[in-house]
Amino acid sequence: MRQVTPLTEGWTLRHPDGTGDVLPASVPGCVHTDLLAAGLIPDPFLGRNETEVAWVGRRDWTYETELTAGAGAHERTDLVFDGLDTVAEVLLDGRTLGRTRNMHRSYRFDVTGLSGRLTVRFASAYAEAEAVRGTLGDRPGAYAEPYQYVRKMACSFGWDWGPTLVTAGIWRPVRLEHWSTARISRVRPLVTVEDGVGQVELAVDVERSRDGAPLAVEASVGGVRARAELDGTEGTVRLRVPDVRLWWPRGYGEQPLYDVELTLLHGEDALDSWRRRIGFRTVGLDTSADAHGTGFTLVVNGERLFARGVNWIPDDVFPSRITRERYRRRLEQAAGAGVDLVRVWGGGIYESEDFYDACDELGLLVWQDFPFACAAYPEEQPLRGEVEAEARENVVRLMPHPSLVLWNGNNENLWGFRDWDWEPGLAGDSWGEGYYLGVLPRVVAESDPTRPYTAGSPWSGSWLRHPNDPAHGTHHSWEVWNRADYADYRLDVPRFVAEFGWQAPPAYATLRRALPGEELAPDSPGMLHHQKADDGNGKLERGLARHFAVPEGDFDRWHYLTQVNQARAIAAGIEHWRSHWPVCAGTVVWQLNDCWPVTSWAAIDGDGREKPLYHELRRLYADRLLTVRADGGGLVVAAVNQSAEAWHGTLRLRRMSVDGTVIGEAGPALAAEGRTVAVTAVPDDLVPAGPKEFLVADAWGSPRSSEAGSGRGTRAVHFPVPDREIPYPRPEFEVALAPGGITVTARTLVRDLLLQADRLDPEAVADRGLVTLLPGEEVTIGVRGWKNPDPDTARCALYCVEPTR
C-alpha cells in the first residue's frame, strides 16, 4: 500500500546570495511569516508597516532541508508539493529536479533512492512577471502591478481592499509518497441522480512503476460495491445507489454526505486507495430568454433558487495561515447570516479542501471563479499551458464536493475589454477571451459535465449585448458606490446581481489594534493607509452627506454613521431585488470577509469582527422579509417568502409621526405562498406625508421574534426622506442589565440603535446589530465576552441616529 511521509520539519530559509542569517522556516508557510516569526520584519498589518516590508517580494529566497528518500520495500518514491508560490527551482544536492511557475498547481518529482540536500529556490514573482511582460508585451489592467503575467494569487499584488505583500514559499503541504507496481494518479467522480437512484461513475487514471501487472479497482458507496478491471493506465467503475437522500443547500433541506472509497488492486494486494465524501444532487443554470431579457437562475434538485450570496476573498493575505478551524468559523458566520451561496472570487485562489468540506457540511453553495480578475491576460506560452494544466487539476480536485455548483471563467475581464478602454490599446493582441470562451469551457465540459459553466461575471451571454447589461445574465452594480446615492439601486431589476457593495470602516477594536497609538480620524495617516480604494474616503463622505450631516471632528460619530450607511445601502439593494423574484434570481454582496484590517466593503472585518452589515444580512437574507417600495405613484409592502411553507396572517400598517403618534392604521391580510412574493398596496391615507412621518409594517401571525423591535425580517420601516431632513426627537432610552446582556427600553423613537460591544471589551461580541425601536418598545441585546457588565458602561457604547444639529 502507498505510504506517505510528511516533510514539515527541519526546513530553513535564507537569501540565495548567502547574505543574512539562516532562519527556521515553517512548511507550509511563506517568507513573510517566517521573517515575522524571527522578528526580522514588523507586522505588516499594523500602522504603515506594509511599506517597510515591500522589499521582501522583490528578493529571491531559498528553502532547504535534508531529504532521505529511501523507498524501503517500495519500488518508487515521489516528492510531492501540493503548492509552491510561485516561481521555483527544485534541486537535490545541486541537481535540478524541476522548475515551477504556477501557485495553483501541485508538483511531483521522482526521487527514488535519492537523498541529500533538498533546495527550493524561489525567484521573485515580480521578476518573473516583468520578464513575461517583456516577452509578450504590455496588457492593460485595473492596477499597475503585473499580476496578469504570472499564475499567482492576484491580490497578493494589492487590491482596492488589500495590501501589496507579494509572497513566496512552500504554501501547501509537501510529502514523500512511497509506492509499488502502480498508484492512483487521478479519480474523476461524476455524481448524478435519476429517479431517486444515485449514480457514481469513477474514471480512474493510474501511474505504473512496471508494465504488464494486471490491475483492478473496487469501489464502495452507500453500501453498494463494484469492481472493474483496468486497461493499461485507466478504467471506469460505476455504482448505482438506490433511494439516495438528496443533498440540499441550507434552508431547503438536509446535507447528507456519503463516503466513497476506491481501492487499486493487484490480485488481492491493495496498492493504493482514494477516499472522498460526495452528495447526491442535480444542478442546473437556467439562462433561457423571457419577456424581461435573459435569466440566470440556479436550479438544485429541480428547485429554482434565489441565491442569497456573498463574495469571498482570501481570508488572509498569507493564505498558508488559514487553518481548517478558521475556514469553518468564517463560513459558519456566513451561514449564520442567512447566506446560501459563496462566490470564490477570481483574484484569489482555488481554496483548500477545508473550505469546500465546510461548505458541503453547512449547505453553502459554491460559485467558483477561475483565477482571472480585472486585467487582460496574455494567451501565449508560457501562460497558456499553465492555465490549462491548473484548470484540469483543480476541476478534478474539487469535483467530489456537492456544494460546488458553478464554474465561472473570470471576474470583470469581458466587461473590462468592452468598457475600460482595453480594446483600442490591445490592437488585436490576446487578452484572455480564448480562455473564457475556449479553453475553460472545454476543460469543464470534458472533465466535469455535471456542472454549468459561465464565461465570466458580469456576462450577458453574448457579444451582441453589452457584457454588463442588467437585463441579461449576471450584473455588477458599481456605478452606485462610485458615483451615486444607494437609493439608485432601486432604479432597475437586474437578472442576477453578482457584485455590489458599500464601504465602511472595521470595528473600533480592530482599528485600535491595527493603528496603535494613533489619534483616530477619517484622514489620519494610518486610516488613510488602511483605505486602499481610489477616492475611498471621498466616496464615503459623499455617500454619507446624502443622508446625514457629516460629523466634523467627531471620529466616533463618523465611524458609527458610515457603518449605518453601509448597512442601509446593502439593504436598499437586497430588499428591492428580492422583492422582484423571480425576475431577479440572486444577490451576491461584495464582500463577506477581509484579508487584513482595512476600510472596505466587508461584512466581517480583518480581525473577524462582525460589522453592523453582517447583522443586517441576517434580516435581509432571512427566509421571510418585509420591505416597502415605491410602485407607480404609491407604496406597496412586499412579503418575500423564500421558505416552502405559506406565510399567512395579517399586516399591521401604521402611519406614524416621529413623535410616536399613530396617524392611521390598517390590517390587510397577508398571504405569500411558499417561494413567492406577495405585494400589498399601502392605502393612500397611510402613505407618509412629509419629513415628520414614516410607515411601519409588521407581519402579524408570522413567526416573530419576542421583541417588537428586533428587526428579524418581519418588520419594515419606511421613511420618505433622508435622515438629514427628518426632525427626529432627541432619543431617550433606558438601559438595564439582563441575563447575558442588556435590555434597552425606548421612550422616544430610537432609530438604528447599535451596541458596539468591542468598545466594552475587545473580546466582547453582541448578538445583533442595528435596531429601530418605537416608543415603549424594548430589545434585549446578548453580549458574550464582557468581563465586567455595567449599564452605564453599556450606555457609552450605544449609538443611534440623532437629530441634525
Side-chain angles (χ1 to χ4, degrees), residues 308-626:
R308 294 170 279 188
V310 288
N311 281 276
W312 170 278
I313 66 169
D315 204 53
D316 196 317
V317 74
F318 306 129
S320 58
R321 296 200 297 200
I322 309 174
T323 63
R324 184 176 183 85
E325 293 73 24
R326 181 165 164 181
Y327 274 125
R328 180 78 188 197
R329 167 61 181 151
R330 198 68 70 242
L331 291 166
E332 283 178 342
Q333 286 177 296
V339 168
D340 59 21
L341 180 141
V342 179
R343 176 190 173 211
V344 181
W345 167 76
I349 58 177
Y350 307 93
E351 296 287 349
S352 79
E353 295 297 322
D354 297 332
F355 174 92
Y356 304 96
D357 285 345
C359 291
D360 291 344
E361 295 162 4
L362 294 168
L364 293 170
L365 302 174
V366 176
W367 159 335
Q368 178 71 51
D369 279 14
F370 287 97
F372 300 89
C374 300
Y377 283 76
E379 296 176 37
E380 293 77 22
Q381 298 294 3
L383 294 174
R384 188 177 185 87
E386 291 293 340
V387 166
E388 180 154 354
E390 88 178 41
R392 289 195 179 278
E393 176 176 341
N394 284 285
V395 166
V396 172
R397 176 174 73 89
L398 300 182
M399 281 176 66
H401 294 283
S403 57
L404 178 59
V405 295
L406 182 66
W407 292 104
N408 176 50
N410 74 89
N411 177 75
E412 297 190 343
N413 294 344
L414 298 164
W415 180 22
F417 176 75
R418 179 53 49 86
D419 260 11
W420 301 349
D421 296 324
W422 294 1
E423 194 169 358
L426 284 166
D429 285 345
S430 67
W431 56 274
E433 182 182 26
Y435 296 144
Y436 319 134
L437 299 177
V439 173
L440 298 176
R442 173 169 53 83
V443 168
V444 171
E446 292 171 356
S447 300
D448 188 15
T450 66
R451 288 181 176 87
Y453 170 88
T454 185
S457 185
W459 179 232
S460 61
S462 169
W463 284 118
L464 298 176
R465 298 181 288 266
H466 189 281
N468 198 28
D469 186 335
H472 300 276
T474 50
H475 177 67
H476 289 196
S477 181
W478 284 114
E479 284 297 301
V480 171
W481 156 251
N482 285 320
R483 296 177 179 86
D485 182 20
Y486 61 69
D488 285 6
Y489 285 135
R490 304 186 183 105
L491 297 181
D492 58 16
V493 183
R495 304 312 303 270
F496 192 106
V497 189
E499 281 191 20
F500 73 109
W502 202 271
Q503 275 200 350
Y508 181 80
T510 299
L511 289 172
R512 285 270 57 111
R513 186 193 70 81
L515 305 175
E518 180 163 311
E519 183 176 346
L520 295 177
D523 59 353
S524 61
M527 286 293 294
L528 290 177
H529 186 78
H530 288 250
Q531 164 62 278
K532 296 296 186 180
D534 182 37
D535 191 30
N537 272 19
K539 293 171 185 176
L540 274 176
E541 181 164 332
R542 290 189 292 275
L544 194 60
R546 294 183 180 105
H547 295 269
F548 298 98
V550 178
E552 298 293 338
D554 187 344
F555 177 81
D556 291 346
R557 195 79 195 151
W558 175 88
H559 180 263
Y560 160 75
L561 288 176
T562 52
Q563 290 197 334
V564 169
N565 226 35
Q566 180 188 39
R568 295 256 197 102
I570 299 307
I574 293 178
E575 287 185 4
H576 177 67
W577 296 322
R578 280 193 73 184
S579 74
H580 283 88
W581 161 260
V583 176
C584 180
T587 55
V588 189
V589 175
W590 187 271
Q591 66 217 62
L592 175 68
N593 57 328
D594 270 328
C595 65
W596 78 314
V598 65
T599 297
S600 84
W601 298 264
I604 302 169
D605 74 20
D607 281 6
R609 293 188 175 93
E610 298 159 353
K611 296 184 189 178
L613 171 59
Y614 172 84
H615 296 278
E616 185 70 353
L617 286 176
R618 294 172 62 190
R619 181 183 73 86
L620 296 168
Y621 278 165
D623 281 350
R624 291 173 171 175
L625 171 72
L626 282 186

Side-chain angles (χ1 to χ4, degrees), residues 103-121:
M103 180 183 183
H104 306 301
R105 293 179 60 187
S106 63
Y107 296 92
R108 179 179 294 266
F109 306 103
D110 183 355
V111 294
T112 305
L114 301 179
S115 61
R117 193 69 174 166
L118 176 62
T119 302
V120 185
R121 293 178 182 164

Side-chain angles (χ1 to χ4, degrees), residues 74-311:
H74 292 85
E75 298 170 353
R76 172 83 173 263
T77 298
D78 292 340
L79 172 64
V80 182
F81 293 93
D82 283 342
L84 292 170
D85 176 17
T86 293
V87 183
E89 183 181 14
V90 182
L91 307 99
L92 189 60
D93 273 349
R95 180 171 70 88
T96 298
L97 299 177
R99 290 180 169 86
T100 75
R101 61 196 324 157
N102 193 329
M103 180 183 183
H104 306 301
R105 293 179 60 187
S106 63
Y107 296 92
R108 179 179 294 266
F109 306 103
D110 183 355
V111 294
T112 305
L114 301 179
S115 61
R117 193 69 174 166
L118 176 62
T119 302
V120 185
R121 293 178 182 164
F122 288 96
S124 165
Y126 277 113
E128 166 76 3
E130 287 158 0
V132 172
R133 176 163 57 186
T135 300
L136 301 182
D138 201 23
R139 300 292 196 283
Y143 305 99
E145 299 283 313
Y147 55 91
Q148 68 266 52
Y149 302 97
V150 60
R151 296 308 297 153
K152 173 178 172 58
M153 184 175 87
C155 64
S156 70
F157 289 91
W159 220 260
D160 56 5
W161 36 257
T164 301
L165 295 167
V166 179
T167 52
I170 305 171
W171 78 290
R172 279 183 167 163
V174 56
R175 62 190 177 277
L176 291 173
E177 292 189 3
H178 311 281
W179 54 278
S180 297
T181 308
R183 71 172 184 90
I184 299 169
S185 60
R186 187 177 81 156
V187 178
R188 192 167 56 86
L190 296 174
V191 181
T192 57
V193 184
E194 187 173 343
D195 297 328
V197 177
Q199 303 186 55
V200 182
E201 179 180 300
L202 303 174
V204 184
D205 294 332
V206 302
E207 181 183 7
R208 292 174 177 266
S209 62
R210 49 191 167 94
D211 295 331
L215 299 176
V217 287
E218 284 187 354
S220 64
V221 59
V224 176
R225 305 186 69 86
R227 178 185 175 101
E229 307 299 318
L230 296 190
D231 181 12
T233 59
E234 60 185 34
T236 302
V237 58
R238 296 177 176 85
L239 304 98
R240 290 173 55 84
V241 186
D243 302 321
V244 293
R245 298 171 60 213
L246 294 180
W247 185 97
W248 288 93
R250 63 173 303 280
Y252 290 83
E254 297 180 347
Q255 295 80 43
L257 297 171
Y258 289 74
D259 293 318
V260 180
E261 182 170 357
L262 181 139
T263 304
L264 176 63
L265 299 168
H266 171 47
E268 298 300 317
D269 296 332
L271 303 178
D272 201 355
S273 63
W274 177 91
R275 297 177 181 87
R276 296 292 188 276
R277 291 187 307 172
I278 62 170
F280 291 99
R281 53 102 184 96
T282 63
V283 60
L285 181 66
D286 184 355
T287 57
S288 56
D290 58 24
H292 304 279
T294 307
F296 193 93
T297 304
L298 284 165
V299 184
V300 177
N301 298 329
E303 185 79 54
R304 300 170 66 82
L305 311 180
F306 182 98
R308 294 170 279 188
V310 288
N311 281 276

